[in-house]
Amino acid sequence: MAAIQSQESAVPVRQFDGRRVLAARRAARLQRPELGRKLGLSKASIGDWERCDAAPSPERLPALAAALGQDLDVLFPRLGPPDLKDLRCDSGHTQAEAARALGISRLPLSNAEAGTRRLNAAYVEPLADLYLVSREELEAAQERSFGNSTAPKAEDRPPRTLGEKITSFLQRKPLSDGEIADAVNAAAGFPAVDAAGIEALRTDSQGSAEVQASLPPESLFAGLGAAFGVQPWYFAPGEEVERQILDRLEFLSLMRSDGVSVAARGASEGVSAAMLATLSEVLVRHEVRHEKAPRPEEG
């Protein structure tokens, strides 16, 4: 996944992944030429984005998300709060366009975004209105442009490692390492791990791999799930979860081909845009992973 980043600021900006664009376009049933026409671009440009050969300029992302019928924060997530450049790009304006709208030169905006000279107080309110944010949000973004904000921490992003996942659930349900070990041992059916082993898992230390190797994954995940009252797959690696999803989708497909009606339960509100984007991305990633030619074709 490629991050579209400002050279002047260390604050993370929106994450661009061409596979998400491809998945969203297919979900919207748009061909590349159609999407290109919506954005005033060629289908070749869209193809370059989808193959991650190129990335759109940050200020194009809002229009791209809108053309695909997706929420900007879902399709192009950002880790951490925005700085001034991010606010401008989220409003879909280039620096020249923003300056023109305020009736000023680009220099004040350029200096403020680069963290070299603060905005004139007279520009703050009009700029906030242009970017569709409050004055307080714009001033906070300016502080980040000047480096007066702490960098995002690990907890500002979804947990990835097993240790991060355990730590995340501990914030909701405090348990001792011994209590977690008891739950894992109960699932395994034998005393496979002690409190020290759980500490190794929780901290992602060198001993974590040894502990995981001594336990069947299903027992470990089942024990952790039982301890925290969640489904075991919360703790499984992302690829394993995707494989299970694909297996179940294939099963549903077979049932439908055999004339068996498959109805969703408890889905009165429909599938959210975020869920649809995630499912489409999983399917596209699975397709690309198994194709001999890695470059996705039109369609």
Side-chain angles (χ1 to χ4, degrees), residues 11-12 15 77-81 144 149-160 164 168 171:
V11 176
Q15 309 293 299
R78 177 173 52 221
L79 304 180
R144 285 186 283 274
S149 177
T150 56
K153 301 174 183 177
E155 56 265 28
D156 294 326
R157 59 168 171 76
R160 298 171 183 170
E164 289 176 357
S168 174
Q171 294 173 358

Side-chain angles (χ1 to χ4, degrees), residues 237-268:
E239 287 190 1
E240 172 63 20
V241 175
E242 288 185 8
R243 186 189 63 76
Q244 293 182 28
I245 292 172
L246 290 167
D247 286 346
R248 284 158 175 75
L249 287 174
E250 184 174 0
F251 173 70
L252 289 176
S253 177
L254 288 172
M255 290 182 69
R256 290 178 65 86
S257 67
D258 289 339
V260 178
S261 175
V262 180
R265 297 182 180 176
S268 58

Side-chain angles (χ1 to χ4, degrees), residues 105-120:
S105 73
R106 290 176 55 184
L107 189 60
L109 296 182
S110 177
N111 286 340
E113 288 182 5
T116 58
R117 186 171 183 178
R118 294 179 182 277
L119 290 167
N120 184 301

Side-chain angles (χ1 to χ4, degrees), residues 68-85:
L68 292 169
Q70 295 286 332
D71 183 275
L72 180 64
D73 290 321
V74 171
L75 192 58
F76 307 117
R78 177 173 52 221
L79 304 180
D83 62 10
L84 279 176
K85 179 177 179 180

Side-chain angles (χ1 to χ4, degrees), residues 19 22-23 26 238-250 278-294 296:
R19 295 171 301 181
L22 174 59
R26 288 181 171 175
E239 287 190 1
E240 172 63 20
V241 175
E242 288 185 8
R243 186 189 63 76
Q244 293 182 28
I245 292 172
L246 290 167
D247 286 346
R248 284 158 175 75
L249 287 174
E250 184 174 0
T278 300
L279 180 57
S280 298
E281 181 184 347
V282 169
L283 292 172
V284 169
R285 183 157 54 241
H286 174 74
E287 174 185 308
V288 171
R289 189 181 298 147
H290 289 80
E291 284 179 352
K292 299 229 173 156

